[in-house]
């Protein structure tokens, strides 16, 4: 009897130990699932949208921009520790007709072996047509930036039918610069063609001078005097058109609500040009003192849905601060569909904020790109360098 009792007690202890171990395993699995549930949900969504094999064939929406293998490599190279964020980015935005070998990409990303073209390098400064080496160069050239296209807009293939025109700000140089930089970023993010107006009389910038091909001096200045248009055009996601070409394409052909430019000419200038652009615009935003919020996914035109993510909400509140009470501008369907958006240079239409404080992006990777996208106008650094001490 004693032997039987001893045997049964030992068996019960073993069963209890197994049961306890099993319960601890179930409990640990439950907490692990809760912590990583969103990750697995995103992984499931991705596997449903794309067939996952050793090679991933990505065939997403035609509205999304197309990414080559090299551009996908650049995404992975950003930071392998943020794979969850990259996975959401892929699921929402990625579309390509080419095959992407995920295994080799992750292996090469983890190895750290990069070609010179894939490495960050110091920026360049060009003064009077020559590259200058100086300690004032604080910006970098980041691989993939020149081929980056905004993933939230379908207009890269239709940018010729979506335009932003603007009037130079009526203030001094700093006001003109801030508004132009913000418009460059907004045009890139919206996938729109930025129409550059002709040189004008700008406040406190009226010193007579000659441009490269001028025979006589003049006191007008404009966009190309402050920004390297060729450098901006070298970015795949940025589209630019000069005003005379815009008026020739859209104005004199009746493409702007059937109204013709002054004199039915593509050489319109000054106040007559500004009045015409205001009359034919589909939208004239009044964004002074406010900021614009861009979603992380195409077609997400609701700020409240954008802010369901607690991390995005925290960034949004820190970015907007007191300005949120004035009403956030949301990149919505109306802005996306408008054929022609025009920004007058006065009153509530003025954008008197730096671009990095004006445009909020729900996707941190987009926020990072647009903060470094706009190189400072080289003239700001070339002029001081020309001073002899």
């Amino acid at each position: 009897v004693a032997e039987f009792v001893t045997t049964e007690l030992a068996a019960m202890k073993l069963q209890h130990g197994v049961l306890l171990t099993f319960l601890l395993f179930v409990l640990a699995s439950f907490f692990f699932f809760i912590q990583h549930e969103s990750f697995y949900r995103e992984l499931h969504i991705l596997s449903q949208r794309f067939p996952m094999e050793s090679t991933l064939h990505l065939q997403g929406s035609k509205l999304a921009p197309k990414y080559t293998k090299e551009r996908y490599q650049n995404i992975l190279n950003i930071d392998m520790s943020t794979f969850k964020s990259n996975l959401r980015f892929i699921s929402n935005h990625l579309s390509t007709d080419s095959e992407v070998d995920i295994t080799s990409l992750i292996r090469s990303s983890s190895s750290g072996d990069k070609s010179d073209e894939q490495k960050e390098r110091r920026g360049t400064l060009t003064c009077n047509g020559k590259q200058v080496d100086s300690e004032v160069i604080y910006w970098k050239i980041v691989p993939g930036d020149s081929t980056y296209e905004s993933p939230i807009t379908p207009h890269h293939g239709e940018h010729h039918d979506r335009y932003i025109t603007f009037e130079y700000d009526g203030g001094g140089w700093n006001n003109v610069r801030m508004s132009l930089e913000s418009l460059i970023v907004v045009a890139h993010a919206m996938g729109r063609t930025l129409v550059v107006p002709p040189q004008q009389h700008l406040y406190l910038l009226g010193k007579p001078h000659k441009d490269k091909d001028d025979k006589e001096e003049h006191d007008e200045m404009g966009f190309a005097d402050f920004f390297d248009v060729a450098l901006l055009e070298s970015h795949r996601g940025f589209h630019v058109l000069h005003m005379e070409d815009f008026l020739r394409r859209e104005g004199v052909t009746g493409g702007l609500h059937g109204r013709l430019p002054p004199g039915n000419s593509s050489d319109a200038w000054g106040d007559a040009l500004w009045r015409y652009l205001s009359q034919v615009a589909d939208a004239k935003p009044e964004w002074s003192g406010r900021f614009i919020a861009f979603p992380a996914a195409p077609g997400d035109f609701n700020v409240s849905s954008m802010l369901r993510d607690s991390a995005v909400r925290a960034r949004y509140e820190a970015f907007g601060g007191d300005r949120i009470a004035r009403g956030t501008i949301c990149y919505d369907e109306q802005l996306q569909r408008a054929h022609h958006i025009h920004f007058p240079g006065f009153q509530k239409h003025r954008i008197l904020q730096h671009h990095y404080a004006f445009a909020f992006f729900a996707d941190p990777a987009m926020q990072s790109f647009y903060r470094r996208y706009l190189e400072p106008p080289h003239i700001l650094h070339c002029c001081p360098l020309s001073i002899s001490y």
Side-chain angles (χ1 to χ4, degrees):
V1 173
E3 183 179 352
F4 173 78
V5 172
T6 303
T7 303
E8 287 299 315
L9 288 175
M12 290 177 62
K13 289 182 180 179
L14 178 62
Q15 291 174 358
H16 288 160
V18 172
L19 180 61
L20 181 60
T21 302
F22 176 74
L23 290 176
L24 289 175
F25 174 77
V26 170
L27 188 62
S29 299
F30 174 75
F31 283 114
F32 181 84
F33 177 80
I34 292 297
Q35 183 179 1
H36 297 280
E37 185 269 339
S38 61
F39 171 79
Y40 286 115
R41 183 174 63 249
E42 292 161 4
L43 185 60
H44 174 72
I45 293 173
L46 185 62
S47 65
Q48 293 296 313
R49 292 184 60 181
F50 310 119
M52 299 285 289
E53 302 170 351
S54 59
T55 298
L56 180 64
H57 302 268
L58 297 171
Q59 300 171 343
S61 166
K62 292 182 179 179
L63 296 181
K66 294 183 178 179
Y67 281 77
T68 63
K69 178 176 179 178
E70 289 73 19
R71 295 167 71 189
Y72 189 79
Q73 173 75 67
N74 290 333
I75 294 172
L76 289 179
N77 279 338
I78 293 173
D79 184 358
M80 289 299 293
S81 66
T82 60
F83 178 70
K84 177 179 175 180
S85 176
N86 289 339
L87 185 61
R88 184 185 299 112
F89 177 84
I90 298 166
S91 175
N92 288 335
H93 313 309
L94 200 58
S95 171
T96 181
D97 296 327
S98 54
E99 297 181 355
V100 181
D101 188 343
I102 295 298
T103 304
S104 64
L105 285 177
I106 294 179
R107 185 183 299 117
S108 60
S109 297
S110 303
S111 67
D113 296 332
K114 302 178 182 179
S115 64
D116 291 338
E117 292 77 13
Q118 294 175 317
K119 295 178 181 178
E120 286 189 5
R121 60 187 188 276
R122 191 164 176 252
T124 59
L125 177 63
T126 303
C127 298
N128 298 321
K130 297 181 180 179
Q131 283 199 2
V132 177
D133 184 19
S134 171
E135 66 275 7
V136 303
I137 302 174
Y138 60 84
W139 56 94
K140 295 181 179 180
I141 298 175
V142 179
D145 277 5
S146 63
T147 58
Y148 183 87
E149 292 177 322
S150 172
I152 62 172
T153 172
H155 296 326
H156 293 291
E158 305 171 359
H159 63 85
H160 59 278
D161 196 43
R162 300 289 190 274
Y163 302 98
I164 287 180
T165 61
F166 63 90
E167 178 181 346
Y168 294 111
D169 189 86
W173 153 245
N174 200 45
N175 291 341
V176 173
R177 177 185 62 81
M178 283 193 296
S179 63
L180 292 182
E181 289 179 345
S182 292
L183 288 172
I184 290 172
V185 168
V186 166
H188 191 294
M190 291 184 177
R192 289 180 170 271
T193 294
L194 185 67
V195 181
V196 176
Q199 293 179 322
Q200 304 287 314
H201 296 293
L202 301 181
Y203 179 62
L204 298 180
L205 296 174
K207 182 179 179 180
H209 65 283
K210 285 184 179 182
D211 294 326
K212 183 178 180 181
D213 299 322
D214 289 340
K215 295 181 179 179
E216 298 181 0
E217 288 187 338
H218 61 91
D219 60 0
E220 299 90 355
M221 298 189 75
F223 189 90
D225 293 306
F226 311 131
F227 296 96
D228 187 337
V229 177
L231 178 62
L232 291 172
E233 286 181 312
S234 69
H235 288 79
R236 183 181 300 175
F238 183 76
H239 318 291
V240 64
L241 189 68
H242 292 281
M243 183 62 70
E244 55 268 29
D245 297 321
F246 171 70
L247 294 178
R248 193 177 298 115
R249 177 189 297 178
E250 296 286 337
V252 299
T253 60
L256 300 174
H257 301 287
R259 304 192 64 166
L260 302 178
N264 196 19
S265 170
S266 60
D267 296 326
W269 186 85
D271 290 339
L273 173 62
W274 306 142
R275 285 194 297 270
Y276 171 72
L277 294 174
S278 291
Q279 292 168 357
V280 299
D282 297 308
K284 292 185 292 183
E286 297 183 352
W287 292 352
S288 182
R290 302 162 68 191
F291 70 96
I292 184 169
F294 288 94
D300 185 4
F301 298 132
N302 192 324
V303 172
S304 59
S305 65
M306 182 194 312
L307 301 180
R308 288 172 187 165
D309 187 312
S310 58
V312 174
R313 175 177 288 277
R315 290 178 47 243
Y316 168 83
E317 292 175 349
F319 184 94
D322 296 339
R323 295 178 298 170
I324 295 177
R326 304 172 194 168
T328 303
I329 308 148
C330 184
Y331 178 65
D332 57 17
E333 193 170 7
Q334 181 180 359
L335 283 174
Q336 182 169 283
R337 289 185 174 182
H339 175 60
H340 170 213
I341 300 175
H342 178 64
F343 288 86
F346 54 87
Q347 297 178 351
K348 294 183 179 180
H349 304 287
R350 303 174 76 188
I351 302 178
L352 299 181
Q353 300 179 74
H354 295 290
H355 66 90
Y356 45 80
F358 174 67
F360 171 81
F361 297 89
D363 186 341
M366 290 181 67
Q367 191 82 64
S368 178
F369 167 78
Y370 284 109
R371 282 181 175 173
R372 67 176 182 268
Y373 163 62
L374 201 61
E375 284 189 14
H378 286 200
I379 190 174
L380 292 181
H381 300 289
C382 292
C383 289
L385 288 175
S386 65
I387 300 174
S388 300
Y389 293 96

